[in-house]
Each structure stands twice: as structure tokens, then as C-alpha cells.
Amino acid sequence: MKICIERSDRIGDMILTLPVIQGIKQKNPQAIIHVVASHKNLKICKQFSFIDKTYEKSTSSSAFNSLTKSISSEKYDYYFTFSPGWFGLRLGFFSKSKFKSSLILKSRYNSNVFSKLGQIIFSKLFYSKSIIINRFKSLQANKNIHQTNMMMDVVSKSGLAISENTKTEFTFTNIFPLKKDKPVCVIHLSSKWINNFYSEDNFEDLLKLLKDKNISIYLTSDETTKNKFSKIFDIYPVVNDSNSLRQNTKDISICNNFNFENWTSLINQSDYVITPESGCTHIASLTKCKLAVIYDADNSPKSIKQEYAPWNKEYLALETHDKDLNQKLLNFI
């Protein structure tokens, strides 16, 4: 049996799909599973032993045509598209799979009858099974709309056996050894920290409080960091590679522009990870660290928590409008 899963969006979305892939394999050991991933997701897929082959999404028309030829030649028994948008639906249309299933998520912010209408009609016409979730109404009714649960439901309703509540079997390769003479805490510097309730000054106060703890603090960056944390970059030393990191003796330093392998190696060796809800959340969920996740109070935190909670990982959930946020993070360590 050959199965194709399209999940060509963000790192966190792919990590939440890994239990689905593993759950299928556990019930169907002979199944061959291929995944269509984004450029970022591909790095996760290549380290996950339950995936037999990966294809990379490209938006150019020539690359899409090439991909459809490759996918259709595989003659899959099942094709699942889980990412939002038209790419996965179109790819499935050309896949020549025996059974095609889609998951279409309507808006979590309002109940709009026209939300995703075109995709719904297309899927109803050309797919064997189409699951449409009205997230707004589901949240109001306190229904379980966790991403992993919804994908597992699609697989099950498509007639394919799957193990649920699977604990993801994933191991990162540490490409450098981290010197640990005291506990290590990674804090991810995403722009999601900064909003109407929490400022860069609040974040600086947090670091001052954490200085009294006997820990090493590594601040990791992404493409959004410098736009929001200019003061932090002026105060703390910047480390640009893993070699410099191993020689670093500062209690607080910024790991700036680390590549994916160095970044995940650092997280994997950390005792604590504090991060806004982001890809870092889900990377950390695959490790043994203690995890604290900060949710933006301006962006429907309740629904985001329900839909994107780390899978089968205990964690501390906090929101940016909490006046005791810094104290709670201090107590977390």
C-alpha cells in the first residue's frame, strides 16, 4: 500500500503531522509513505524514519508540472492533503490516487458561509472524502479541533487504520556538544513576544530576573527578531556559530542566524525552552526539555492553544496579557 501526504506549510504543522504518519505505519507496517513538504518542512521529514520518500513543493508552474508527473506515476492507494490553500487540492486532482481525502478548515475568527467555498466545492466534486471543519462553531461548542486529531479523523474516516495518541518517535542529531556546567535555557526571540500587552522593556526585565538563576541563557533568533529586539541586541553579546557558542562564557548571549541543524541541536540539549507559539514550540516538543509557551492575547489564544498545542507534551501555557507573566516564567525555571 502506497500513501501520499501533502503538508507543505510550516515546521510546526509538519511536526503535528508526524504522529499521523507514525500512527498509520504502526497499524499498517508494510505501508510506503511519501510526503510532499515545503522547503522548511523537508528538514524535519528527512530525519523522521517513518517517511519513505519526500517531495519538495515549488510554486513555479514548471516545477508543479514536474511534481504532478512524479506523483501521478507513483499510483498511490491514498492521497491526503492537509495544508490550507489550493496547492494540495490541485496536486491531488492530478495524482491518479485511488482514494483522495482533504481537510478544509474554515475560519476560526468568524462563521462566514463563504469561507473556503471554492475549495469546498472543488473537493466535493473531485475527492473521495472531504472533511470540512467550521473552526469558529467547533470552538464555541468546545469540540476538539487539535490539528493532529483532525488529521487522524480524516485518515480514519477514509477507511485507513491508524493508532491514535501516538507519542512521536523522533531523535535530533546533536552536531555539536554543548558545554553544560549548569542548566541551559533557550528563549526564542520571535516578534510574537511584542504586542499591546508586552514590550521589549518587559522582556529586558525578564532577563534581569533570570540573571539571578544559576543558568545559561541562549536567545535564539529568526527573521523577525531584529525588528523588535534592537535594545536586546545592543545589550547582550551575539554568537554567530556553534564553534563560538562552545567558547562562550557569558550567562546570556544571542545565538543569531543559526542554521536549522545548529538551532535544533541547541534546543535538543536544553533543560528549559521558553518561546512564543511558533515552530520553536514544536521543535522543543520533540525533546526532553521543560517547555513554556507564550500565547499572544491579541490573537485568539484559546483557539490557538486548542488547535496547536504540543502533541503529547506537558507544557506551561501563558498569555502576554498576564501581569504576572515574568514572575511565572521565573518560577518555571
Side-chain angles (χ1 to χ4, degrees):
M1 178 168 55
K2 293 180 75 174
I3 301 165
C4 182
I5 294 175
E6 183 272 334
R7 187 87 238 206
S8 57
D9 36 11
R10 299 170 299 179
I11 288 176
D13 297 302
M14 178 58 74
I15 291 174
L16 290 176
T17 309
L18 299 184
V20 180
I21 296 168
Q22 184 174 321
I24 293 172
K25 276 278 194 177
Q26 287 177 346
K27 286 290 188 179
N28 308 275
Q30 304 306 315
I32 297 169
I33 299 181
H34 296 177
V35 172
V36 179
S38 66
H39 177 69
K40 289 183 177 181
N41 282 345
L42 210 61
K43 298 168 185 176
I44 289 291
C45 294
K46 288 182 176 179
Q47 296 185 53
F48 193 53
S49 61
F50 292 95
I51 296 174
D52 298 291
K53 187 176 182 178
T54 56
Y55 292 96
E56 184 175 353
K57 172 186 177 180
S58 177
T59 55
S60 73
S61 58
S62 60
F64 181 79
N65 291 335
S66 176
L67 179 59
T68 56
K69 288 179 182 178
S70 298
I71 294 298
S72 63
S73 68
E74 296 284 358
K75 297 180 180 178
Y76 295 111
D77 297 288
Y78 290 90
Y79 173 92
F80 297 99
T81 177
F82 293 136
S83 295
W86 280 98
F87 175 83
L89 287 171
R90 291 172 57 225
L91 185 63
F93 174 78
F94 292 109
S95 69
K96 296 183 180 179
S97 302
K98 294 178 183 176
F99 198 99
K100 299 187 285 288
S101 298
S102 65
L103 174 63
I104 298 177
L105 305 177
K106 302 186 76 172
S107 173
R108 73 171 68 93
Y109 301 106
N110 57 65
S111 186
N112 184 347
V113 68
F114 298 108
S115 175
K116 305 288 181 71
L117 182 59
Q119 294 177 31
I120 292 170
I121 294 172
F122 183 91
S123 183
K124 291 286 189 182
L125 288 173
F126 299 113
Y127 274 64
S128 314
K129 178 67 69 174
S130 183
I131 306 297
I132 295 98
I133 305 294
N134 186 320
R135 289 184 288 178
F136 182 79
K137 289 185 177 179
S138 295
L139 285 164
Q140 289 191 324
N142 290 318
K143 292 183 179 179
N144 187 337
I145 62 160
H146 190 278
Q147 283 275 325
T148 304
N149 288 121
M150 290 190 292
M151 288 185 281
M152 286 183 169
D153 188 48
V154 173
V155 172
S156 178
K157 287 181 177 178
S158 299
L160 189 59
I162 184 169
S163 295
E164 299 182 3
N165 296 318
T166 304
K167 176 67 176 177
T168 308
E169 297 175 17
F170 193 100
T171 304
F172 286 107
T173 301
N174 294 329
I175 62 172
F176 66 88
L178 186 63
K179 183 181 177 182
K180 293 182 66 175
D181 52 2
K182 51 188 172 183
V184 169
C185 177
V186 165
I187 304 179
H188 188 51
L189 290 179
S190 165
S191 63
K192 292 181 180 180
W193 278 100
I194 310 303
N195 49 58
N196 291 330
F197 305 99
Y198 200 88
S199 67
E200 185 179 12
D201 289 336
N202 294 134
F203 187 83
E204 185 185 354
D205 290 340
L206 172 63
L207 294 181
K208 288 176 181 177
L209 289 170
L210 291 175
K211 272 187 175 181
D212 294 332
K213 298 276 189 177
N214 186 31
I215 58 174
S216 296
I217 298 175
Y218 298 109
L219 310 175
T220 61
S221 66
D222 60 24
E223 64 274 8
T224 71
T225 302
K226 279 198 171 181
N227 295 330
K228 299 292 184 178
F229 292 97
S230 57
K231 183 186 294 186
I232 298 301
F233 270 78
D234 287 338
I235 297 173
Y236 296 103
V238 175
V239 176
N240 290 306
D241 56 63
S242 58
N243 289 328
S244 301
L245 179 65
R246 283 176 287 187
Q247 300 166 11
N248 179 59
T249 59
K250 302 294 184 180
D251 288 335
I252 301 178
S253 51
I254 302 170
C255 300
N256 190 41
N257 293 326
F258 271 32
N259 63 29
F260 183 79
E261 290 74 19
N262 283 334
W263 181 52
T264 54
S265 295
L266 177 59
I267 294 171
N268 194 46
Q269 296 176 76
S270 298
D271 301 283
Y272 306 92
V273 172
I274 300 172
T275 176
E277 203 290 321
S278 63
C280 185
T281 301
H282 302 287
I283 293 290
S285 75
L286 298 175
T287 75
K288 296 179 179 179
C289 74
K290 286 185 64 178
L291 174 62
V293 181
I294 318 300
Y295 292 90
D296 183 354
D298 280 331
N299 184 30
S300 190
K302 180 183 176 182
S303 63
I304 298 295
K305 276 186 280 188
Q306 287 194 35
E307 193 171 345
Y308 295 101
W311 180 254
N312 280 352
K313 169 83 172 181
E314 290 188 9
Y315 74 107
L316 175 65
L318 298 170
E319 297 181 18
T320 54
H321 68 335
D322 188 337
K323 294 180 180 179
D324 297 321
L325 176 59
N326 282 357
Q327 185 60 49
K328 288 179 179 179
L329 289 172
L330 184 66
N331 296 339
F332 167 73
I333 302 295

